[in-house]
């Protein structure tokens, strides 16, 4: 097969890189172990949130943002502390990415037809000092059409090149080895898997019906992370977070197994920051699962009372939507793998959104009328479905009945109604004034100073135990696996580096497998909207660099 570049993995990073390489007139072979139905990978399932800085959408909402503020937030959030070694290239990629988000990113996407929901979301609010973790301002830009809307323009470009002969796409081809010659990567080999009619996200068969071996001048690995591989998650679980979770639900399809990391390492690539991962603390079991152990993340507003498994309220900054890693640490210190929200019906009407393209049919389907419905006083249809059918939801008019049902759901008697009532009553008394010593109440009022939150995201402060605001709702929150923050170390041209810090000839990487750039662009924490964006950026950079290397014959 006469190709110049092999791309391993047809997720978003692979699609972006393939499109860029083919645009440069180079011949590409795109390989993926999954059926064609899964083209676009995890990005298709995403909410489609993108991190942008000083955008027109922000300015229209009265948000003042800047490259300097965004870079301050990124550094405070990432907490890079391995600057001389594992974080060296991640830091360089981080600076380049923030510049991209403040520069050409929006125009580049806009030219391809990507549009954004006008209200900018405020994810990872921080809750600590100005130079600590979190976004100082809202930066979460939701793509009109969510995940499918961001995948579509790149899939379209790749399919155009399939028609003109520059791209050959072969699904059901599982790469099992990177072929080297004198420490230079010169091709790939692996198994051809039996055809599968599995729909997107569903498990596909692993029956081998043949083998393959292809040569190329350059191989790009864009195979994703380890989010569905519980064995690898537990093996790499950081000691600073205590023991690995015994119970965890899965936020990505089963094919996100991380196997290409070890395969690339065997060919000379270096993996760094193995202990850095991004797992959510607000996971609920999907009542209508697509893959095994399928979990969905709640994107919460700031008002729900957050209790640990024993019924103790979490302290600052562990409020809904503020600091995911800090809350994960707090949960693990309890010795349990779950926690609880308690909230009123008024809160769930306005503050609960669910992550995922399939959980947001209004945005995914680009329905203006349905989106307008978000501002009305009604529970979103997907959320209502979980309230009606989800096993993690409990609803009751009286707190005593609610706590009894919560204990029954968890299979223990850890929760004491008197103690929970005491804590919520104490919080409710703080609602009588516009001033308070309860920092969560202060944060709620502060959030409503932002028009976007006041309109569609944050409920007006009210007493949770007041019957007129009911019924009461409790949600059991599971730990939810999602992203790998470490990965293959790459330089700013996306070349994979070896243990000595030198490029492995002929080998590039993009997307999650490369820690979204450099082996760890996020450090310890994400500012959100940066995973899909990291795939876009690294795929673009890798594609352009590969074209330049082939033109200059400097592989």
């Amino acid at each position: 097969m006469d190709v110049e570049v092999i791309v391993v993995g047809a997720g978003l990073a692979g699609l972006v890189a393939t499109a860029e390489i083919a645009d440069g007139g180079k011949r590409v072979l795109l390989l993926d172990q999954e059926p064609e139905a899964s083209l676009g990978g995890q990005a298709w399932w995403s909410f489609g949130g993108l991190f942008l800085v000083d955008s027109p959408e922000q300015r229209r909402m009265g948000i003042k943002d800047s490259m300097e503020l965004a870079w301050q937030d990124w550094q405070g959030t990432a907490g890079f502390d391995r600057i001389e070694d594992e974080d060296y290239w991640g830091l360089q990629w981080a600076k380049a990415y923030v510049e991209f988000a403040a520069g050409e990113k929006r125009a580049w996407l806009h030219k391809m037809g990507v549009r954004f929901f006008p209200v900018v979301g405020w994810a990872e609010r921080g809750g600590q000092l100005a130079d600590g973790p979190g976004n100082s301002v809202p930066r979460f830009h939701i793509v009109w059409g969510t995940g499918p809307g961001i995948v579509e323009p790149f899939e379209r470009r790749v399919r155009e090149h399939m028609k003109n002969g520059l791209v050959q796409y072969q699904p059901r081809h599982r790469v099992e080895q990177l072929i080297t010659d004198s420490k230079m990567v010169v091709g790939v080999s692996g198994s051809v898997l039996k055809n599968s009619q599995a729909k997107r996200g569903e498990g596909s068969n692993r029956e081998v019906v043949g083998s393959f071996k292809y040569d190329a001048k350059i191989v790009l690995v864009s195979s994703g992370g380890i989010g569905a591989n519980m064995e690898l998650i537990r093996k790499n679980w950081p000691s600073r977070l205590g023991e690995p979770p015994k119970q965890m639900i899965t936020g990505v399809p089963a094919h996100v197994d991380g196997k290409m990391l070890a395969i690339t390492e065997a060919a000379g690539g270096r993996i760094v920051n193995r202990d850095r991962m991004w797992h959510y603390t607000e996971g609920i079991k999907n009542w209508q699962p697509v893959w095994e152990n399928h979990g969905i993340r709640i994107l919460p507003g700031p008002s729900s009372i957050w209790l640990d498994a024993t019924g103790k309220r979490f302290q600052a900054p562990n409020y809904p939507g503020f600091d995911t890693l800090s809350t994960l640490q707090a949960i693990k210190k309890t010795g349990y793998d779950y926690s609880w929200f308690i909230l009123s019906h008024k809160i769930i009407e306005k503050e609960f959104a669910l992550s995922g393209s399939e959980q947001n049919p209004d945005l995914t389907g680009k329905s203006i009328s349905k989106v307008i419905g978000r501002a009305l006083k009604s529970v979103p249809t997907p959320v209502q479905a979980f309230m009606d059918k989800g096993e993690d939801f409990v609803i009751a008019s009286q707190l005593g009945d609610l706590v009894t049902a919560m204990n029954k759901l968890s299979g223990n008697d850890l929760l004491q109604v008197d103690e929970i009532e005491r804590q919520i009553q104490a919080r409710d008394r703080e609602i009588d004034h516009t001033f308070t010593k309860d920092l969560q109440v202060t944060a709620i009022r502060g959030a409503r100073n932002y028009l976007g939150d006041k309109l569609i995201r944050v409920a007006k402060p009210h007493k949770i135990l007041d019957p007129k605001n009911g019924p009461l709702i409790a949600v059991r929150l599971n730990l939810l696996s999602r992203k790998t923050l470490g990965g293959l170390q790459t330089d700013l041209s996306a070349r994979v580096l070896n243990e000595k810090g030198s490029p492995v000839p002929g080998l590039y990487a993009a997307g999650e497998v490369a820690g979204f750039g450099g082996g760890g662009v996020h450090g310890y924490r994400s500012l959100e909207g940066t995973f899909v964006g990291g795939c876009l950026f690294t795929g673009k950079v890798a594609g352009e660099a590969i074209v330049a290397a082939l033109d200059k014959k400097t592989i």
Side-chain angles (χ1 to χ4, degrees), residues 9-64:
L12 182 59
L15 288 179
V16 175
T18 297
E20 294 290 329
I21 295 166
D23 280 355
K26 312 305 178 186
R27 298 180 303 279
V28 186
L29 173 61
L30 177 60
L31 302 176
D32 197 281
Q33 70 176 357
E34 294 308 300
E36 188 169 350
S38 287
L39 190 68
Q42 297 177 64
W44 190 94
W45 294 99
S46 77
F47 198 18
L50 292 178
F51 178 91
L52 295 174
V53 178
D54 192 25
S55 69
E57 289 77 17
Q58 286 177 301
R59 292 193 291 272
R60 281 194 291 268
M61 296 299 297
I63 300 164
K64 295 182 180 180

Side-chain angles (χ1 to χ4, degrees), residues 4 177-188 214-219 264 266-269 495-496 498 502-508 549-550 553-555:
E4 295 165 280
Q177 182 182 13
L178 299 182
I179 302 169
T180 59
D181 183 3
S182 300
K183 297 184 178 181
M184 179 175 183
V185 174
V186 295
V188 301
Y214 298 128
D215 299 328
K217 295 176 181 177
I218 288 176
V219 173
T264 309
R495 298 180 297 179
V496 177
N498 61 23
S502 301
V504 178
L507 184 59
Y508 290 70
L550 289 169
K553 299 180 180 180
T554 56
I555 301 168

Side-chain angles (χ1 to χ4, degrees), residues 263-435:
I263 292 168
T264 309
E265 187 177 30
R270 185 191 185 200
I271 301 173
V272 296
N273 299 312
R274 296 175 193 261
D275 62 329
R276 294 182 184 168
M277 314 171 197
W278 191 245
H279 304 309
Y280 291 113
T281 51
E282 314 98 332
I284 51 177
K285 296 177 182 178
N286 195 345
W287 65 270
Q288 195 175 25
V290 178
W291 53 82
E292 185 178 356
N293 202 30
H294 187 174
I296 298 293
R297 186 204 176 194
I298 296 170
L299 300 172
S303 301
S304 298
I305 297 288
W306 203 337
L307 305 175
D308 69 19
T310 69
K312 295 183 177 65
R313 189 177 172 195
F314 285 117
Q315 303 296 308
N318 304 317
Y319 307 136
F322 277 73
D323 190 332
T324 296
L325 183 60
S326 176
T327 309
L328 176 59
Q329 290 172 326
I331 290 171
K332 289 304 300 175
K333 285 180 180 178
T334 69
Y336 297 91
D337 295 333
Y338 68 95
S339 59
W340 295 97
F341 277 168
I342 291 182
L343 59 152
S344 68
H345 199 271
K346 280 189 176 180
I347 291 173
I348 205 167
E349 285 176 345
K350 200 158 190 175
E351 296 198 8
F352 265 39
L354 301 174
S355 182
S357 56
E358 82 286 10
Q359 299 297 332
N360 294 274
D362 52 352
L363 292 164
T364 302
K366 302 180 181 180
S367 171
I368 294 175
S369 61
K370 290 181 179 179
V371 168
I372 291 173
R374 287 184 177 236
L376 303 177
K377 289 188 176 181
S378 62
V379 178
T381 300
V383 176
Q384 186 64 56
F386 272 90
M387 292 173 65
D388 295 338
K389 304 173 185 178
E391 67 176 87
D392 294 309
F393 282 74
V394 176
I395 303 172
S397 297
Q398 302 297 322
L399 184 62
D401 295 335
L402 189 81
V403 174
T404 297
M406 292 164 70
N407 279 329
K408 182 178 180 181
L409 179 60
S410 58
N412 54 47
D413 293 315
L414 292 174
L415 303 175
Q416 303 299 314
V417 64
D418 290 346
E419 177 58 17
I420 292 175
E421 184 175 34
R422 183 194 65 77
Q423 293 176 90
I424 301 178
Q425 282 182 341
R427 176 265 184 202
D428 280 358
R429 292 187 187 104
E430 301 293 304
I431 301 299
D432 288 332
H433 305 280
T434 56
F435 46 89

